Amino acid sequence: MYEHGIWRLHFVCRVSIDDAELPDDGVAGIDLGICNLATISYGDESVLYPGGALKEDEYYFAKKRAETDDSASRKARRLDRKRTDRRTHFLHTLSKDIVSECSKRGVGTIVVGDLGGIREDENGDARNWGKHGNLDLHGWAFDRSTSMLDYKAEECGIAVVTKSERNTSKTCSECGRSDDRQRVQRGLYVCECGLVANADSNGAENIRQKVLPNLACDGGDRDNGWLAQPAVRLFDCSEGRFAPREQVVNREP
Ligand SMILES: [Zn+2]
């Protein structure tokens, strides 16, 4: 093409995108909590990550720390550093496991409940975590683990989106109702429509549905038995990784 006294060469490149390179279209929802640090819903399967190992560590270090006479001593600083290293390792391992489990299941989008909500109840007041609710620990842990999740997911081509957790624990993930006909008892969410679910799995499924077309109210009779029977992945202290509960035998230190 000759233009304004200059020859210009135009190239057109046609690039065909292989199907295999298209992002996976599965969606996983993650509910972050206190007893279960993370609960994942894959839409037909739910997996819990109990926070026990992290909590035991925290108690151990808090106790050791209290035993040191001088909080500025070298020993105290060494303990603090070790505690931070172990937390970081735990959270790295947790987010790595979540991303690899998502990847295995063809997940292209992970929806995480907005952390702003976990420190507030439905009235917007700070939640009372009780004697053992270590707000600092969890605030820290959640912020760290979501940013770790972000970059690990990105490496695998999985998008991470954040959605408000508002009403996700109260709403029935099957019929979409949130009135007085549901109750939570001993960790079970029970709705009059017949749904009996692990309460955290129900929350995670609600978070997952936030990016989906309106599935909850389609009137279909999907099998939702999986919501009542989440799988559990535990931190294996000897291996330093997460594995299905059946395979983990944690010996006392
Ligand atoms: Zn219901």
Side-chain angles (χ1 to χ4, degrees), residues 105-192:
R105 290 168 175 84
V107 168
T109 308
I110 295 177
V111 194
V112 186
D114 179 8
L115 300 177
I118 70 174
R119 292 174 202 125
E120 297 176 349
D121 62 16
E122 49 272 31
N123 305 315
D125 299 324
R127 264 188 203 166
N128 178 13
W129 295 115
K131 226 173 19 185
H132 297 296
N134 186 336
L135 195 62
D136 281 346
L137 159 67
H138 288 101
W140 186 91
F142 287 132
D143 292 345
R144 289 299 301 269
S145 57
T146 46
S147 61
M148 287 177 188
L149 196 68
D150 274 359
Y151 75 76
K152 288 196 173 66
E154 197 184 342
E155 281 171 5
C156 293
I158 299 175
V160 178
V161 295
T162 308
K163 292 280 174 184
S164 161
E165 282 194 346
R166 202 174 178 77
N167 290 331
T168 48
S169 59
K170 289 194 288 180
T171 306
C172 174
S173 63
E174 187 60 22
C175 70
R177 276 193 296 245
S178 165
D179 46 34
D180 291 330
R181 289 180 286 181
Q182 299 84 26
R183 60 183 198 280
V184 177
Q185 253 169 8
R186 275 176 255 115
L188 278 185
Y189 181 96
V190 181
C191 177
E192 231 183 44

Side-chain angles (χ1 to χ4, degrees), residues 42-250:
Y42 295 104
D44 56 1
E45 193 188 347
S46 177
V47 179
L48 310 181
Y49 289 87
L54 183 60
K55 228 172 276 172
E56 277 164 31
D57 243 41
E58 290 302 315
Y59 290 140
Y60 170 83
F61 281 104
K63 203 173 134 229
K64 285 279 173 197
R65 192 73 164 71
E67 285 166 11
T68 58
D69 311 321
D70 177 6
S71 64
S73 69
R74 185 185 282 190
K75 194 181 168 197
R77 276 183 286 132
R78 202 169 49 228
L79 274 172
D80 287 347
R81 202 162 51 231
K82 200 170 166 200
R83 174 186 183 172
T84 305
D85 287 350
R86 285 180 62 109
R87 272 181 189 174
T88 305
H89 174 73
F90 181 89
L91 295 170
H92 265 301
T93 314
L94 174 67
S95 38
K96 206 167 124 189
D97 193 75
I98 291 175
V99 168
S100 109
E101 290 297 300
C102 283
S103 198
K104 268 188 227 165
R105 290 168 175 84
V107 168
T109 308
I110 295 177
V111 194
V112 186
D114 179 8
L115 300 177
I118 70 174
R119 292 174 202 125
E120 297 176 349
D121 62 16
E122 49 272 31
N123 305 315
D125 299 324
R127 264 188 203 166
N128 178 13
W129 295 115
K131 226 173 19 185
H132 297 296
N134 186 336
L135 195 62
D136 281 346
L137 159 67
H138 288 101
W140 186 91
F142 287 132
D143 292 345
R144 289 299 301 269
S145 57
T146 46
S147 61
M148 287 177 188
L149 196 68
D150 274 359
Y151 75 76
K152 288 196 173 66
E154 197 184 342
E155 281 171 5
C156 293
I158 299 175
V160 178
V161 295
T162 308
K163 292 280 174 184
S164 161
E165 282 194 346
R166 202 174 178 77
N167 290 331
T168 48
S169 59
K170 289 194 288 180
T171 306
C172 174
S173 63
E174 187 60 22
C175 70
R177 276 193 296 245
S178 165
D179 46 34
D180 291 330
R181 289 180 286 181
Q182 299 84 26
R183 60 183 198 280
V184 177
Q185 253 169 8
R186 275 176 255 115
L188 278 185
Y189 181 96
V190 181
C191 177
E192 231 183 44
C193 74
L195 179 81
V196 178
N198 173 288
D200 288 339
S201 301
N202 180 64
E205 174 58 11
N206 278 324
I207 289 167
R208 193 184 78 89
Q209 288 178 8
K210 294 216 167 199
V211 301
L212 297 176
N214 211 351
L215 281 183
C217 307
D218 63 2
D221 42 13
R222 294 187 300 145
D223 176 13
N224 55 35
W226 58 274
L227 277 168
Q229 287 163 324
V232 176
R233 288 178 72 80
L234 290 179
F235 188 70
D236 186 331
C237 299
S238 55
E239 303 275 330
R241 61 179 170 85
F242 284 85
R245 177 164 52 190
E246 313 76 79
Q247 295 170 15
V248 177
V249 186
N250 278 335

